[in-house]
Each structure stands twice: as structure tokens, then as C-alpha cells.
Amino acid sequence: MKAKPPLRKYGSTIAISGAGLSVFWLSSELAETAGPNIYVSLTLLAATAILTGFLIQGSQGQGALDRTGYDAHEFLERIPGPAWIVDTEGRLTEVSTSLRAYLGTVDTSNLPCRQVIHSEDFDRTAGLMSQCLENGQEFHGACRLRRHDGTYRWFRVAARPRHDRNGKFIGWYGVLLDIDDLKKVEQALEAREFQLQRLIDALPTLVWSARPDGSTEFLSRRWHEYTALSQEQAAGWGWTAAIHSDDRDRLVEYWRSLLAAGAAGEIEARLRRFDGQYRWFLFQGEPVRDASGTVVQWFGSNTDIDDRKRTEEALRARQYELQQLIDTIPTLVWSVTPEGEPAYINKQLETYYGRKIDPSQPKEGSRLDGALGRLMHPDDLEAVKRNLMHSLKTGEPFAMRYRNRRGDSVYRWVDNRALPLRDDDGRIVKWYGVIIDIDDEMRAHDAVRATQDKLSRASQLASLAELSASIAHEVNQPLAAVITDSHACQRWLSADPPNLQRARITAERIVRDSMAAAEVVSRIRALFTQTASSRTSINLNEVIGEVRQLLFDEIVSQDIYVGTDLDPALPLVLADRVQMQQVLVNLVRNGIDAMKSTTDVSKSLKFGSRRYGENAILVDVRDNGDGIAEPERIFEPFFTTKAEGMGMGLAICRSILESHDGRLWAESIEPRGTVFSFTLPIQSGDAA
């Protein structure tokens, strides 16, 4: 065997190969810091440099190896990775030890080999190799190769064609680089990128990123689908075309302020949908900084808040409407905290008090004490405070009538009521109350009570007058007879009978006592029947209204429906208002009593008024009670159909009306009921 020539004969080849090894060592160092991508690139560079030493054409190339008979296998062993040499037929002529150790005992005499290349990669790899075999080009590819233990790993395959000194193609030099770990990292990155992309696309919001200058870098698929703007249209600042014209300048100005400050922020604006409809969105942006704190990127999202916006607008409108309602209703509304501190009063109450709530704490006591002290009548203050504190402590409703001081310092009666508002757990969160000014009502009640008392006295006096008149009428005749008999007795005894003196004295006493009795009866009758009544011009429709108000509680308690058929142009009459009220009250009470036993139909009472002829008016009161059997007798004194009646009421009513030149009568109506009617002359001057 010939001795192998020293390597110095192939200086250029070794130099290049050494450079390749140096690059390999460099790649190992960089791999620790730069990652697998740069490692693979540098390794390929190293292998290429080493192979270049074998592929130099000319006198120091393949021909030199052939002449010296130097063994190329030694150079394959110097390559950092599995290496091989293939002839023009695709047969392996040289295989490095590392490649043989990887493949094991598999027959690799011809390439491509099905036993080595993964079935999913074989056709692609075989086709590429066949193409390179035919045209003698370089080969670059990646595939999975089977290890001796049956495990497949990814390799990057690189081969360069061999030529002799005459330029004839004689085969390939090749190298394998294990990229399995890199491939797994790439697959993991691809999977994560795919998962991240799916996550971004699935988010119910529009996601974007921008460069430090604010121009568009990325827009999610949902963003493009929503706005119908392509990537080209939305690039840079083109996305602003989808912003509502009324919001665009404001949004861009705000976005530029965030870019200048490098601060996160959010703003609301309307974004155009693919169908041309604008909806409200919340635009949010967040800067991303590097280790030095410099903003290198912006991330953000656009969230549809149109429904929330419309709901907020509806709530604001509803709140405004409710506030207007509370401020407009003719009621004084207030609220306090669970501890009783004033919290709110409406406009009506502010106007009533002439002041707003004073939020400051008084020098002594609570704000509630201060408010009560300013607004309550001194005589009612302690009672109001005691009842209110009891309600605040126990949670019982508050209700009380007292005198309140108005803004003009006038005290008026009010009805104050309040209820607690509770949460789901039953805890009181606030008290709400209303104050109703009842001063006019209280005065009206006082007037009604005074009228009732006056009517009662008038009724008593009228009854007594009627009774006295009846008594006087009945007593006057016997007394007159006594007087006549006394005079006769006096004359007879004045003749010749004995005891004339005694008879004369007795007769004088009879005359004296009888005259005294007659005088007493006459005075009583004059007292009740001859006294002139107070008569004024009155509208009987108004009197009817007063009587309805006067007897309202009694009518309601009997569940009676009241109707009216009143002539609005009813002329005035000259009459005693109290006596007219007395007449109507008596007639109404008779109707109420007549309907007490009515159960088969709804009870009803109806007032009517109208002209009666040329110079009179007619007023009637109708009921649907049991009716009357003797319409005329009921006006007789002491005639009554009631178990506890005196039989004087209707007689007095007729007397009153007759004293006013009027008339009163009653009629039964079909199918049931009674109507009482009376007439009064129209006041002079109103008959026309």
C-alpha cells in the first residue's frame, strides 16, 4: 500500500476545511445565545466550507486526490455531521462513521432508500433527488430519516455535485444536519401561533396592534370582517376611514396624545359596520416597552358597547323623566338615610321651604334635628321627633299630621307619610316620604263642622218651633174656653148665689192664671215662628254641592252611588242658605234610610235642578229605596214610618219652604224608589 501524502500538499483544501470547522465551533458558541435557527445556518455554512475543500476544481481538486490516491473518507470524518459521497448513478461510495452509526445495518447502496426515508416524505424527497441526478444540480431538502432503533428524526439534506479536472460530473458530496429539535420547536411555535390566532379570532372584540408611530401593524380577522376594509385599505392610518366623521378628529387627536405620552388610555367612538351602520365602540390601547422603557409596539382592542350605550341613554332618559315627574307632581317628596339624615327633596319641596338641603353639620345635634327645628311648629316638634325616631328605630311606617312652616314663615297643616326601602336581605337602605299640604282641607273640615253644628242647632230650633206651634195651637183653644168659662162663672156667681165673695176670688184667679198661660204660649210661639230669617241670593247648585260634601262619609259608608243632573245656568233664589241646607240634608237622609234594606240592586242617589215654569226653579232628590205608600201623609207632623222617628223632619221642611213661598211634595217612581221635589221662586230680576 502506498504511503499517504502529507496534508500540506492540499493546503487550500485544508484551509477551507479548517475554516468550516472554525465556523462550526463558532456556531456551537452562538447556539447557546442565538437559538437553534442560527445554529443550523452556521452548521450548514461549516459543512459547505469543508465540502468545498473537496470540490475545488483544478490541479488541486479531485484530480490531485486521484493522483495521490489520498483516501477521501478521512475528509468525510472531519465534517461535523453525517456525510456521504454518491456517484452519478445514485450509489453511495463513501459514508461517514457517524452516518453509518445512525443508520445501522440498513442497505443504503442506492438512493433514495425507502427503508431510511419516512413514507410521508419519500415521494417528495425521491422526486427532488431524481431531478438533481438528471441535471447534476445541487440538492437541498428536509425529511425524516429512520434511526437504527426505528425512531425517525428530521434532517436537512445538502449535496453539491462533484466534477473532475475536465469538468465532468462524477457524483455528489452530501451532508446531513439533525434539525429534529428545531423542527419540534418550529411545530410548537406554529401550534402556539395557530392557537393564538384562533384565540384572537374567537375573541368577541376587535384586536389590533400598531407601531410606535401609531400606524397599523396588525388587524384581526374580525376587524376586517366587521369594517369590510382590506389590509391595504386599513394600512397605516387608513383605518380611520371606518370612524364616524363626527368622532374621527376627536379620536385621532386622543390617539396622538397617547402616542406622545406613551400612556395607556381609552375613548368611545362610533365605528362603521360592513352594512354602513355605525355602532359605539370602546377603543383601548396599551403600550409595550423594551428593557430600556422605550415603546416598541402598541396593542389594543375595540369593544362593541352600542347596546350598553343605548341602555345608558335610555336609563338617563328614564331618570330624567322620573326626575321631571317627581319635580312636577303636586306633592312634596323627600328621603332620608336609615339613620334619618336628610338625603333628597324634590323641586316642589324646595319651593315650599324656600331653601335647598344644607349638607353642613350643625354645631349641635344632627342635621335631622336642625331640619326639624327649623320647619316644625314648636307645639308639634317633640311629637313629630318622637314618632319619627320610633319609625327609624323599628322600621314601622311613619304617618302624622302636624303644622309645618312654609318658606314665607306661615305655618300650615300637612300630612307626612313615609315608608322604608329595603334590600333583598330586608335591611333598610333609605326612607322615602311625601308631604301633602292639608291646611285648606283642615279649614274646610272646620267649616263643615261649624256648618254641621249650625244645621244641628237650626234643626233643633225648627223642630222645637214646630212642636211649640203645634202645642200652642192645641193649648190655646182650651185656654180660651177656660177664660170664657171663668168669665161666665164670674157673672153667674155675681147674681144671688151664696158665698159671692169666694166665688169672685176664685173666678179672678182662673182669669189671671188662664191669661198668664196664654201669654206664655204666645211668647214661645213668637220666639220660634215670628223671628225673621236671614235671606240672601244663593245658587242652589252650590248648596247641593255643600250638602254632598257634608254627607260624603255617610253616603260612602252606605255604598251609595251619587249622580247629578244640574242646570249650569240655574237662576238665583232669595232664601236662607242654612235652612235650604237643612231641607236638603233631611231629604237626603230620608233617601239613605229608605235604601238601607236594599240588597238586590245598587244603591243610587241623584240630585237634579232645572227651571220650573217662568218664575220658579225645581230641585229634586231621587233614591231607589223601598218607596212610600202614602206620599202626602209623610208631611204631617208626628207621622213617621221609622221606628225611632219623631215625624217632624218633613213637616219642618215643608214649613221652611212654604215660608219661602215654595212647595214640597213626594212621589213614588217605577220600578222602585221615591223622588222628593220642591220649588222656590226665582229672585226678582233673574226671571228673565
Side-chain angles (χ1 to χ4, degrees):
M1 178 181 294
K2 289 184 178 181
K4 296 181 179 178
L7 292 178
R8 58 181 175 82
K9 294 183 178 180
Y10 313 102
S12 61
T13 302
I14 298 301
I16 296 175
S17 299
L21 290 173
S22 299
V23 172
F24 169 70
W25 294 329
L26 177 61
S27 68
S28 299
E29 295 292 331
L30 292 176
E32 296 181 1
T33 57
N37 284 330
I38 192 169
Y39 173 77
V40 171
S41 300
L42 292 175
T43 303
L44 285 173
L45 177 61
T48 303
I50 293 173
L51 287 175
T52 302
F54 295 101
L55 302 178
I56 295 177
Q57 299 180 17
S59 60
Q60 294 180 354
Q62 179 65 33
L65 291 175
D66 291 342
R67 287 195 306 272
T68 61
Y70 186 81
D71 189 358
H73 181 75
E74 183 176 351
F75 290 95
L76 292 183
E77 295 301 326
R78 294 176 180 269
I79 297 175
W84 40 269
I85 300 175
V86 180
D87 62 14
T88 57
E89 301 298 328
R91 293 188 295 269
L92 284 171
T93 58
E94 291 291 343
V95 177
S96 67
T97 303
S98 59
L99 179 56
R100 193 172 299 281
Y102 181 86
L103 297 176
T105 59
V106 178
D107 181 13
T108 56
S109 57
N110 291 305
L111 293 179
C113 179
R114 286 187 176 273
Q115 293 179 297
V116 175
I117 301 174
H118 194 284
S119 59
E120 295 179 1
D121 305 332
F122 182 80
D123 292 341
R124 173 176 52 81
T125 305
L128 185 58
M129 285 185 176
S130 298
Q131 185 179 5
C132 291
L133 288 172
E134 291 178 2
N135 54 31
Q137 296 177 348
E138 292 184 5
F139 176 84
H140 295 281
C143 62
R144 285 164 288 184
L145 301 181
R146 186 179 184 277
R147 198 165 60 185
H148 59 84
D149 59 0
T151 302
Y152 284 92
R153 293 181 65 84
W154 279 95
F155 283 85
R156 186 177 298 280
V157 184
R160 177 169 291 182
R162 299 168 56 204
H163 297 84
D164 60 13
R165 66 180 60 185
N166 298 320
K168 180 181 178 182
F169 172 66
I170 59 174
W172 285 270
Y173 288 110
V175 65
L176 300 177
L177 298 177
D178 190 328
I179 60 171
D180 195 73
D181 294 336
L182 175 63
K183 199 73 173 178
K184 290 178 180 177
V185 172
E186 290 178 348
Q187 290 174 346
L189 289 175
E190 289 177 357
R192 289 186 61 185
E193 183 177 358
F194 177 73
Q195 183 180 8
L196 180 60
Q197 187 63 48
R198 289 184 61 186
L199 175 63
I200 292 174
D201 291 340
L203 287 174
T205 186
L206 313 181
V207 181
W208 53 268
S209 67
R211 301 178 182 87
D213 63 356
S215 60
T216 301
E217 183 178 44
F218 166 78
L219 295 169
S220 66
R221 177 177 57 83
R222 279 181 178 269
W223 198 99
H224 289 293
E225 290 177 351
Y226 186 89
T227 62
L229 291 179
S230 65
Q231 292 184 0
E232 293 75 14
Q233 292 172 322
W237 291 77
W239 55 272
T240 58
I243 308 301
H244 195 285
S245 58
D246 293 343
D247 304 332
R248 187 177 299 127
D249 293 342
R250 174 175 57 87
L251 176 61
V252 171
E253 181 181 358
Y254 181 76
W255 178 223
R256 292 189 184 277
S257 70
L258 294 184
L259 294 174
E266 61 182 34
I267 188 174
E268 296 177 358
R270 285 162 289 184
L271 188 65
R272 186 185 63 213
R273 200 165 62 182
F274 56 86
D275 58 0
Q277 179 182 354
Y278 284 93
R279 292 179 63 87
W280 282 99
F281 275 76
L282 178 64
F283 290 70
Q284 296 174 295
E286 187 83 22
V288 178
R289 303 176 185 275
D290 59 14
S292 64
T294 303
V295 176
V296 295
Q297 199 173 16
W298 287 81
F299 288 108
S301 64
N302 303 342
T303 305
D304 190 327
I305 60 170
D306 196 77
D307 294 335
R308 188 193 76 185
K309 196 82 172 177
R310 295 180 188 276
T311 302
E312 290 175 352
E313 291 176 356
L315 287 175
R316 281 194 294 269
R318 181 61 176 168
Q319 183 179 7
Y320 176 77
E321 181 181 357
L322 182 60
Q323 186 66 50
Q324 292 294 103
L325 174 64
I326 293 176
D327 289 339
T328 305
I329 57 176
T331 304
L332 313 179
V333 181
W334 57 271
S335 71
V336 297
T337 65
E339 295 75 26
E341 292 301 308
Y344 169 79
I345 62 174
N346 70 341
K347 294 287 186 183
Q348 296 280 352
L349 193 52
E350 284 184 6
T351 304
Y352 186 86
Y353 285 148
R355 62 170 63 89
K356 295 185 178 181
I357 292 180
D358 184 4
S360 62
Q361 189 74 15
K363 295 181 179 179
E364 296 182 1
S366 65
R367 290 170 55 204
L368 179 62
D369 293 333
L372 294 179
R374 291 191 304 269
L375 304 175
M376 303 296 113
H377 192 283
D379 295 342
D380 303 332
L381 178 59
E382 291 303 322
V384 173
K385 189 181 296 186
R386 183 173 59 254
N387 290 345
L388 182 57
M389 295 309 297
H390 175 75
S391 295
L392 293 174
K393 184 177 179 180
T394 62
E396 296 178 3
F398 172 78
M400 190 174 178
R401 293 185 173 190
Y402 57 87
R403 284 161 291 182
N404 215 1
R405 187 169 68 182
R406 204 167 54 183
D408 55 3
S409 298
V410 174
Y411 286 99
R412 294 179 63 85
W413 282 96
V414 296
D415 187 354
N416 195 345
R417 298 175 182 270
L419 289 173
L421 174 66
R422 301 177 184 270
D423 59 16
D424 295 337
D425 297 326
R427 291 189 296 267
I428 296 176
V429 296
K430 193 164 285 189
W431 283 82
Y432 288 99
V434 294
I435 299 175
I436 302 175
D437 189 314
I438 59 171
D439 195 77
D440 295 335
E441 179 184 347
M442 293 289 286
R443 296 181 187 277
H445 284 175
D446 291 342
V448 168
R449 283 194 295 269
T451 302
Q452 287 176 330
D453 293 341
K454 192 173 182 181
L455 283 173
S456 178
R457 289 193 299 270
S459 180
Q460 292 172 356
L461 291 174
S463 298
L464 182 59
E466 190 70 23
L467 180 60
S468 298
S470 300
I471 293 173
H473 177 74
E474 297 294 330
V475 173
N476 267 337
Q477 288 184 355
L479 286 178
V482 169
I483 293 172
T484 302
D485 291 342
S486 297
H487 283 294
C489 180
Q490 186 178 25
R491 286 193 303 269
W492 283 105
L493 291 177
S494 297
D496 265 345
N499 204 357
L500 295 177
Q501 185 64 29
R502 188 177 181 84
R504 186 180 295 109
I505 293 173
T506 303
E508 289 175 355
R509 290 178 178 176
I510 293 173
V511 172
R512 184 189 61 193
D513 294 339
S514 297
M515 291 297 292
E519 182 67 20
V520 170
V521 172
S522 296
R523 287 178 180 176
I524 294 174
R525 184 172 184 180
L527 177 65
F528 293 107
T529 61
Q530 299 302 321
T531 303
S533 60
S534 176
R535 300 186 182 185
T536 58
S537 298
I538 62 173
N539 186 328
L540 282 178
N541 286 344
E542 296 177 356
V543 177
I544 291 172
E546 293 167 357
V547 171
R548 286 183 60 190
Q549 183 66 27
L550 186 66
L551 300 176
F552 177 78
D553 292 339
E554 188 173 351
I555 292 171
V556 171
S557 66
Q558 296 294 328
D559 197 21
I560 297 173
Y561 167 80
V562 177
T564 58
D565 183 17
L566 307 179
D567 181 4
L570 193 68
L572 301 178
V573 297
L574 188 64
D576 188 310
R577 192 181 197 91
V578 174
Q579 290 183 347
M580 292 301 103
Q581 289 177 345
Q582 179 186 351
V583 169
L584 285 168
V585 167
N586 207 310
L587 298 181
V588 171
R589 281 181 173 158
N590 273 279
I592 293 174
D593 292 336
M595 292 186 290
K596 283 185 177 179
S597 60
T598 300
T599 58
D600 54 339
V601 296
S602 298
K603 302 175 185 179
S604 66
L605 198 66
K606 186 174 182 181
F607 295 89
S609 68
R610 60 185 180 277
R611 271 182 174 270
Y612 187 73
E614 294 294 330
N615 301 310
I617 63 169
L618 173 68
V619 175
D620 54 48
V621 180
R622 298 171 181 265
D623 64 71
N624 63 342
D626 297 331
I628 53 177
E630 299 176 284
E632 191 57 35
R633 285 202 63 193
I634 60 175
F635 294 103
E636 295 178 3
F638 304 108
F639 177 84
T640 180
T641 59
K642 305 174 185 177
E644 300 176 356
M646 292 181 58
M648 292 299 299
L650 291 176
I652 293 172
C653 290
R654 175 171 277 186
S655 297
I656 291 174
L657 289 168
E658 288 177 350
S659 70
H660 284 75
D661 299 324
R663 188 166 66 92
L664 172 65
W665 69 94
E667 297 175 299
S668 294
I669 54 178
E670 296 296 332
R672 61 185 299 154
T674 305
V675 56
F676 287 89
S677 305
F678 66 86
T679 61
L680 284 174
I682 297 174
Q683 181 179 347
S684 299
D686 289 344

